[in-house]
Amino acid sequence: MPVDTAMLDEALTVGHLPALVAAMVHVTGDRSWLKDEWRPQYVQLSRGETGLSPEVDAEIRAALRAAIIKYLEGDRKLPPGPDQATVRRMMDFVAGEPIPEAYADFAMDELSIAGASTKDPQFEQPRLKEAARKLKVLVIGAGMSGLLTGIRLSQAGVTFEIVDKNPDVGGTWYENTYPGCRVDNSNHMYSYSFEPNHKWPQHFSPQPELLKYFQGIADKYGLRKHIRFETLVEACVWDEAKDVWRVTLKGKDGKTETVETNAVVSAVGQLNRPRFPDIEGRDTFAGPAFHSAEWRHDVDLTGKKVAVIGTGASAFQFIPEIAPKVGHMTVFQRNPPWGLPVAHYHENVEEGFKWLLDNVPFYDKWYRFYLFWTTTEGFLPMVKSDPTWNGSPGAVSQANAELREMVGAYLAAQVADRPDLVGKVVPDYPIGGKRAVLDNGVWLAALKRPNVDLVTDKVVKITPKGVVTADGKEHEADVLIYGTGFQASNFLSFYKVTGKGGRELHDVWGGDARAYLGMTVPGFPNFFMIYGPNTNIVVNGSIIFFSECAVRYIIGCLKLMAEKGVAAMDVKKAVHDAFNAKVDEANKGWAWGSPHVSSWYKNQFGRVSQNWPFGLIDYWRATLAPNPDDFVLERQPEPVA
Ligand code: NAP
């Protein structure tokens, strides 16, 4: 069939050239595409700018054009795939730098050229299949991690049920419906590694698209029949005599039921319980007051006086959306966000780009690989604390200070015409201290609007009429919106978990949640958490990657139990404690661990209880499979009725 050359030409102006060149090695079987002079030298903080001259770009496009037409107008048969050494060269080419040997297996796995990955459940042996059939697992949460667990459990042949408090799947993407809510990781990477979506409408799509993706996943994998919606978990109690968890569920009708299960996977996320600030008079406000995660779509903001408390990642997204329609807005800011320049943050994925994803074999894999590699550990060195740093506390190293200078100048330039804002919009804490946001200019444009005031005086009181600041001024408002974040360090706050010896998990934690690899806690056998303590990432990668690693490990634990014929596995305290000591020490070495930073990453004791302080590769390696020596393995299993 003749190729739509107009579409192809448009596509080649927007496609990612290094990923297309790698795809051509598959299409033509010719390794000579990987020319040194075509190798990209990416420009930092750009949208994949290759740093090549316009002449070289044009040469690559012309070669791609001819090869793609030849393939599409030919029999479309692909030659035998490239050998391992060639794939390694292709990875180096697309990454724009040699991938260190230590990363080779990790990068190869992420790429999964042949479709297989270490993250696939390995339950092929009949004996394991038989054992899997007898296992029953309860998953708490039907968000991104819970659905993923369901997919992997069903692939392994394990019986499972998922419960969720909401009436539909999606978790955070179901709950956060505030105007402007969107993903802040490139969507072609923020999707399951085994479920690429060529139809993402934007590079960072809005929330309804993310929800649609996860709903589609639930349908495609037949997960809905396994899910009890509008059901709350009240308690999980370990039955030491039978080695099973008894889980009390409360349905929408208020009735409770207790189910027995061999293992529990808690996939409830870190950011699902809104946090309201402890401000005097908070309940006295006369008008509608709500949190960003519980957006009141029934409250018409048109022409209203609106007060917003908080300028974190959520407020950063909804303030520019609502500013044009409100009468007046007062934004109360304690600390400004660091906005990293991402010009295409709100841009549509071009039709040509989608066409390439659909029509050029392996382009999707190599584009994802490019996104993955350049965000994997790419930014981490910039936020690493240098113990010898003796510059300003607004940075943690020379590299961090240089980045600060560049981004600070970028932010300041946007308000050059507003001297009153200059001193307010550039943070004084280091970049990487808190979650940086992606900035395409709409944030500061909103704050510059004539109907918006940015107030940096401390909020001291809320009255029926508005918000009072430390200078004694009452800022009147009809509607009050809290963009004040979540009770992140209060892990699993809405249900009790009673393990061995009748010890309750929250009592064990005492407000300072810890786990081994974020997943298991001594004394709580067969209880696994996804996105548990110390598994959040600040500047590198996508949290979906982390969930995929965690689920691989959990499925590996079930496999280990099946192989060894044991009913329960309980992580050893010494292993858990040694791991946590390493985590705590390492967290001090990053911008977010700086004593000059306060954020939701730190708990009430000032300990960083949220973040993973190592590279992605370290989590990938640590979660390849459980080490049996890390666990106390207990007794023969008894099937659960
Ligand atoms: P957040 O980042 O914790 O921001 C809360 C904001 O409220 C901060 O500006 C905080 O100021 C402010 N605040 C809290 N108490 C206050 C008080 N008493 N007075 C004045 N200001 C107060 O919460 P979030 O914006 O909901 O974001 C939470 C996390 O969710 C993010 O870090 C990110 O991981 C995730 N998120 C992701 C996306 C996305 O991917 N698109 C979008 C939204 C959220 P301080 O900075 O001074 O503490």
Side-chain angles (χ1 to χ4, degrees):
M1 223 173 46
V3 173
D4 177 350
T5 48
M7 177 58 94
L8 174 59
D9 288 336
E10 187 204 318
L12 289 173
T13 63
V14 293
H16 184 75
L17 297 187
L20 282 168
V21 167
M24 287 308 104
V25 178
H26 294 274
V27 166
T28 63
D30 180 358
R31 282 181 299 174
S32 70
W33 279 89
L34 308 173
K35 296 183 202 312
D36 274 348
E37 57 277 23
W38 288 4
R39 188 183 294 272
Q41 288 178 337
Y42 296 115
V43 179
Q44 230 186 11
L45 295 176
S46 78
R47 186 190 159 190
E49 278 171 38
T50 57
L52 300 173
S53 68
E55 295 74 31
V56 174
D57 266 8
E59 185 187 324
I60 299 173
R61 284 201 180 91
L64 288 168
R65 187 180 195 276
I68 292 172
I69 291 174
K70 188 166 175 206
Y71 165 73
L72 291 176
E73 293 187 349
D75 61 9
R76 299 194 182 196
K77 280 210 184 99
L78 292 175
D83 58 25
Q84 184 101 342
T86 306
V87 175
R88 282 287 328 258
R89 281 189 54 209
M90 293 157 80
M91 292 196 308
D92 292 354
F93 183 90
V94 175
E97 61 184 6
I99 289 181
E101 193 51 41
Y103 282 79
D105 53 352
F106 161 77
M108 202 67 100
D109 190 42
E110 177 60 26
L111 185 59
S112 69
I113 280 289
S117 151
T118 61
K119 293 169 189 156
D120 303 331
Q122 324 275 332
F123 270 79
E124 292 77 22
Q125 282 178 28
R127 193 170 66 86
L128 290 179
K129 274 194 183 150
E130 175 64 15
R133 239 180 0 95
K134 292 183 187 155
L135 278 175
K136 190 173 164 193
V137 174
L138 185 89
V139 182
I140 308 174
M144 178 274 285
S145 300
L147 294 177
L148 174 66
T149 311
I151 293 170
R152 294 314 198 188
L153 287 171
S154 81
Q155 288 169 341
V158 174
T159 308
F160 68 97
E161 191 170 23
I162 303 177
V163 294
D164 197 290
K165 64 185 189 313
N166 295 328
D168 200 353
V169 300
T172 201
W173 296 111
Y174 174 84
E175 289 169 14
N176 284 273
T177 62
Y178 59 79
C181 180
R182 66 176 62 235
V183 65
D184 65 2
N185 249 283
S186 286
N187 247 156
H188 297 100
M189 186 175 69
Y190 191 89
S191 37
Y192 297 130
S193 58
F194 54 92
E195 273 297 339
N197 179 11
H198 294 178
K199 302 206 174 342
W200 288 121
Q202 298 198 345
H203 294 280
F204 303 86
S205 297
Q207 169 267 339
E209 294 297 330
L210 273 295
L211 180 58
K212 205 160 82 185
Y213 174 80
F214 289 110
Q215 288 169 329
I217 292 288
D219 294 335
K220 176 171 174 183
Y221 287 88
L223 295 176
R224 286 183 191 274
K225 61 179 179 288
H226 297 275
I227 307 176
R228 287 198 211 196
F229 290 110
E230 295 181 275
T231 301
L232 273 174
V233 170
E234 290 199 322
C236 302
V237 179
W238 179 245
D239 181 333
E240 288 187 53
K242 284 182 75 180
D243 279 339
V244 293
W245 283 100
R246 270 183 227 296
V247 183
T248 306
L249 307 175
K250 186 173 171 187
K252 192 183 171 190
D253 55 7
K255 288 194 186 131
T256 59
E257 182 191 344
T258 300
V259 296
E260 279 190 4
T261 183
N262 298 101
V264 173
V265 178
S266 177
V268 299
Q270 288 191 2
L271 302 164
N272 57 10
R273 297 281 142 161
R275 183 171 53 124
F276 289 91
D278 195 11
I279 301 173
E280 184 193 334
R282 195 164 62 72
D283 295 333
T284 65
F285 185 68
F290 55 88
H291 188 276
S292 59
E294 296 168 337
W295 196 267
R296 289 270 308 271
H297 292 280
D298 61 321
V299 177
D300 183 5
L301 299 177
T302 314
K304 297 273 168 49
K305 276 185 279 186
V306 176
V308 176
I309 301 183
T311 52
S314 301
F316 181 85
Q317 293 182 328
F318 72 72
I319 283 175
E321 292 291 318
I322 63 173
K325 70 149 76 161
V326 303
H328 184 269
M329 176 153 56
T330 314
V331 177
F332 296 92
Q333 172 183 280
R334 206 159 56 177
N335 280 290
W338 273 113
L340 303 177
V342 176
H344 64 299
Y345 186 35
H346 288 177
E347 281 176 18
N348 290 335
V349 178
E350 305 82 352
E351 289 310 308
F353 198 95
K354 292 184 198 160
W355 186 91
L356 290 172
L357 291 170
D358 279 342
N359 288 283
V360 177
F362 292 95
Y363 174 59
D364 59 348
K365 282 201 181 273
W366 285 106
Y367 181 59
R368 183 183 166 104
F369 181 76
Y370 149 73
L371 293 172
F372 178 77
W373 183 256
T374 49
T375 53
T376 300
E377 324 292 32
F379 211 63
L380 272 180
M382 300 285 201
V383 298
K384 180 92 189 127
S385 299
D386 172 358
T388 65
W389 174 249
N390 57 9
S392 114
V396 292
S397 68
Q398 185 57 36
N400 190 253
E402 283 165 18
L403 185 66
R404 168 188 190 88
E405 202 161 309
M406 188 172 106
V407 181
Y410 161 79
L411 294 173
Q414 293 181 55
V415 290
D417 53 341
R418 284 283 301 270
D420 58 316
L421 286 179
V422 174
K424 294 181 174 178
V425 301
V426 179
D428 55 15
Y429 58 88
I431 296 186
K434 302 178 194 226
R435 175 93 177 168
V437 289
L438 307 188
D439 185 71
N440 61 352
V442 304
W443 166 248
L444 291 177
L447 297 188
K448 282 163 69 176
R449 291 178 60 89
N451 66 337
V452 176
D453 283 331
L454 179 66
V455 174
T456 52
D457 293 301
K458 187 174 182 216
V459 173
V460 292
K461 194 175 170 186
I462 291 172
T463 66
K465 288 204 297 192
V467 176
V468 179
T469 40
D471 56 359
K473 184 168 178 193
E474 185 173 42
H475 305 262
E476 288 194 6
D478 306 316
V479 182
L480 177 51
I481 305 176
Y482 293 95
T484 44
F486 299 87
Q487 304 172 42
S489 57
N490 207 353
F491 286 88
L492 320 190
S493 61
F494 57 96
Y495 63 93
K496 284 188 179 302
V497 187
T498 307
K500 281 179 168 173
R503 292 187 323 148
E504 208 282 313
L505 182 58
H506 298 89
D507 293 341
V508 170
W509 278 341
D512 189 7
R514 294 163 191 265
Y516 177 55
L517 298 175
M519 286 186 270
T520 61
V521 182
F524 298 83
N526 300 4
F527 184 88
F528 302 99
M529 287 169 281
I530 304 175
Y531 203 16
N534 293 107
T535 56
N536 181 59
I537 39 179
V538 183
V539 294
N540 51 330
S542 125
I543 200 65
I544 295 188
F545 172 85
F546 254 66
S547 290
E548 290 195 1
C549 290
V551 174
R552 171 181 59 189
Y553 184 87
I554 293 165
I555 298 288
C557 287
L558 299 177
K559 183 179 169 203
L560 181 69
M561 286 164 63
E563 278 170 347
K564 302 264 181 198
V566 297
M569 50 194 297
D570 188 9
V571 69
K572 292 175 183 165
K573 189 165 180 330
V575 170
H576 167 276
D577 291 354
F579 167 79
N580 274 282
K582 272 201 316 199
V583 162
D584 287 350
E585 194 47 41
N587 260 322
K588 289 182 201 150
W590 299 98
W592 57 80
S594 158
H596 304 290
V597 170
S598 67
S599 74
W600 64 267
Y601 301 147
K602 291 180 181 170
N603 65 19
Q604 58 184 305
F605 304 105
R607 173 182 170 262
V608 177
S609 56
Q610 313 300 128
N611 295 342
W612 176 250
F614 308 109
L616 289 196
I617 190 171
D618 300 297
Y619 199 65
W620 181 84
R621 255 188 225 302
T623 55
L624 273 172
N627 175 357
D629 295 341
D630 289 347
F631 292 88
V632 178
L633 303 173
E634 295 166 2
R635 284 195 296 251
Q636 288 294 320
E638 277 183 41
V640 171

